């Protein structure tokens, strides 16, 4: 049997009971040249019976059972090793695809020919509303040309998500790409793929929707924590140092990667329920240390309120940062109250 164009690697980690909807959206695709590798580890959140049931009913789905609770990263690695498709697509249970999502990716590949990475758009459904993905503006401006990372450094400024890009399987294996332990395991895997890719293409169309009911990052390997994010960016910058020593033109991506890192730290720090109150000072000071250590020469901070946050983080001013946040919340509350009185 010929290999499919796309292998979808899907860990059966189903904390929010959304896996069946994800699978149904895949099986309803108008494009049929794909397989689904459904990876079921021994985590309590993994419905192994559901995985087996879909594999028994649908020839395009195969269930891969793992004999331990290993987390999302190891499950993805195991699924990628089992895959036979030309391209890998890593999804999670809280994803939905429009009926023509895979068709759009296949059509773009027909235009570009073989690429190492095809980066595409996504949307997020939260609070009953759909929101554009964090890379929307970058994708819209990227243009149709196939390129490399040095020519499009802004692509390294996009959120490091593994599920909004196709990766050629031979490229994945040839670069020995894999997910490290811990949470935020996508970060170094995505950055290694982007920094070592020879041919990168973009599709400025949303092909996946994220429906994460909780905005915190899903569980990584056993014993992981929110503080793993610092180790993951350490890996990314160590890789950049390594590849830029051989290819000096890749220094062009350093500023975009730095800005992405700081934005990510600030997002996690601000996100309710992500960093425990008692750990907030430690998290902030770890982020500030990385800001000082990895800031490139000539870096220009963003404008507006985001730039103020960058400045406070750069100075390690934790009390001032928290005070500024409280002042902003209070201002928003007062503004909202005034609007309600005016409309009463």
């Amino acid at each position: 049997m010929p290999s499919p164009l796309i292998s979808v690697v899907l860990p059966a980690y189903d904390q929010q009971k959304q896996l069946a909807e994800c699978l149904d959206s895949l099986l309803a695709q108008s494009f049929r040249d794909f397989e689904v590798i459904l990876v079921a580890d021994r985590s309590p959140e993994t419905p192994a019976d559901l995985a087996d049931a879909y594999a028994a009913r649908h020839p395009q789905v195969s269930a891969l059972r793992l004999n331990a609770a290993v987390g999302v990263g190891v499950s993805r690695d195991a699924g990628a090793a089992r895959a036979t498709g030309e391209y890998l697509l890593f999804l999670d249970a809280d994803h939905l695809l429009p009926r023509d999502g895979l068709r759009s990716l296949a059509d773009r590949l027909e235009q570009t020919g073989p690429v190492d990475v095809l980066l595409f758009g996504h949307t997020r459904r939260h609070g009953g509303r759909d929101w554009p993905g964090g890379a929307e503006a970058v994708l819209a401006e990227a243009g149709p040309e196939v390129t490399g990372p040095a020519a499009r450094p802004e692509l390294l400024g996009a959120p490091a998500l593994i599920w909004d890009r196709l990766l050629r399987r031979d490229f994945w294996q040839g670069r020995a790409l894999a997910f490290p332990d811990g949470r935020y395991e996508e970060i170094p895997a995505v950055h290694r793929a982007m920094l070592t890719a020879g041919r990168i293409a973009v599709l400025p169309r949303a092909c996946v929707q994220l429906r994460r009911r909780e905005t915190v990052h899903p569980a990584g390997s056993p014993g992981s924590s929110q503080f793993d994010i610092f180790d993951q960016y350490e890996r990314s910058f160590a890789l950049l140092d390594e590849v830029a020593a051989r290819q000096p033109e890749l220094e062009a991506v350093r500023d975009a990667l730095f800005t992405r890192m700081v934005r990510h730290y600030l997002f996690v720090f601000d996100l309710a329920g992500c960093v425990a109150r008692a750990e907030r000072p430690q998290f902030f000071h770890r982020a500030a240390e990385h800001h000082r250590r990895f800031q490139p020469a000539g870096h220009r901070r963003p404008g507006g309120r985001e730039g103020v946050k960058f400045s406070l983080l750069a100075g390690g001013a934790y009390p001032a940062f928290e005070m500024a946040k409280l002042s902003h919340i209070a201002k928003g509350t007062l503004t909202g109250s005034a609007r309600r009185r005016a409309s009463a």
Side-chain angles (χ1 to χ4, degrees):
M1 178 179 291
S3 298
L5 180 67
I6 298 173
S7 290
V8 180
V9 176
L10 178 57
Y13 183 87
D14 196 21
Q15 187 176 25
Q16 301 297 324
K17 312 302 181 188
Q18 298 169 301
L19 179 60
E21 294 175 79
C22 176
L23 286 165
D24 289 344
S25 78
L26 282 166
L27 293 167
Q29 290 295 298
S30 60
F31 179 80
R32 307 305 299 169
D33 192 16
F34 70 95
E35 65 176 353
V36 179
I37 313 295
L38 193 53
V39 187
D41 75 352
R42 300 294 294 273
S43 302
E45 297 83 3
T46 298
D49 291 344
L50 178 64
D52 290 339
Y54 269 86
R57 294 199 307 267
H58 303 283
Q60 284 175 286
V61 179
S62 63
L64 173 60
R65 292 281 202 117
L66 304 181
N67 61 7
V70 296
V72 173
V74 174
S75 293
R76 286 171 174 159
D77 285 337
R82 172 71 66 88
T84 63
E86 186 176 350
Y87 289 89
L88 299 172
L89 174 61
F90 295 96
L91 296 180
D92 295 318
D94 50 10
H95 293 140
L96 281 180
L97 278 71
R99 191 169 184 274
D100 63 346
L102 295 185
R103 168 58 65 190
S104 297
L105 297 175
D107 289 346
R108 180 64 175 134
L109 289 173
E110 282 191 11
Q111 297 171 353
T112 64
V115 296
D116 297 324
V117 182
L118 172 58
L119 181 62
F120 56 87
H122 71 272
T123 59
R124 294 173 178 260
R125 173 158 281 268
H126 183 68
R129 295 179 59 187
D130 291 341
W131 305 85
E136 183 183 49
V138 171
L139 298 182
E141 297 171 0
E145 297 82 8
V146 176
T147 185
R152 288 288 185 188
E154 63 273 15
L155 296 180
L156 271 292
L161 306 171
I162 198 63
W163 44 265
D164 67 356
R165 60 203 75 205
L166 283 181
L167 299 117
R168 191 166 55 84
R169 186 166 62 90
D170 286 349
F171 166 72
W172 179 271
Q173 294 174 340
R175 296 293 192 275
L177 294 170
F179 296 94
D181 288 339
R183 294 198 180 194
Y184 304 100
E185 74 292 327
E186 296 170 298
I187 293 168
V190 165
H191 291 151
R192 180 173 290 276
M194 296 297 289
L195 286 169
T196 61
R199 287 173 55 83
I200 300 172
V202 164
L203 174 62
R205 184 239 153 118
C207 296
V208 172
Q209 181 179 75
L210 173 67
R211 304 168 300 141
R212 189 161 295 162
R213 291 172 184 164
E214 296 182 1
T215 51
V216 296
H217 187 269
S221 55
S224 60
S225 83
Q226 300 295 342
F227 283 80
D228 294 340
I229 193 171
F230 299 109
D231 295 332
Q232 309 299 15
Y233 275 103
E234 289 267 6
R235 291 184 173 101
S236 292
F237 276 96
L239 173 64
L240 176 56
D241 291 342
E242 176 188 328
V243 297
R246 300 191 303 268
Q247 299 173 262
E249 68 273 13
L250 286 173
E251 279 293 336
V253 312
R254 191 176 295 274
D255 193 79
L257 183 59
F258 172 79
T259 300
R260 167 46 45 196
M261 178 192 76
V262 176
R263 283 177 170 155
H264 201 168
Y265 290 169
L266 291 172
F267 174 80
V268 171
F269 188 72
D270 282 342
L271 191 61
C274 234
V275 182
R277 182 182 296 273
E279 295 176 330
R280 287 177 67 80
Q282 180 187 0
F283 188 98
F284 183 90
H285 290 303
R286 287 282 300 275
E289 190 272 330
H290 271 196
H291 188 294
R292 290 191 294 272
R293 183 145 59 97
F294 294 126
Q295 180 177 359
H299 171 72
R300 298 182 64 180
R301 292 173 187 146
R305 184 167 178 266
E306 185 182 36
V308 173
K309 288 184 175 184
F310 271 56
S311 296
L312 292 172
L313 183 64
Y318 174 68
F321 189 97
E322 293 286 46
M323 184 63 67
K325 181 179 179 181
L326 290 173
S327 298
H328 180 76
I329 292 172
K331 181 179 179 182
T333 301
L334 290 173
T335 302
S337 298
R339 288 174 179 167
R340 286 192 294 272
R341 285 196 300 270
S343 62

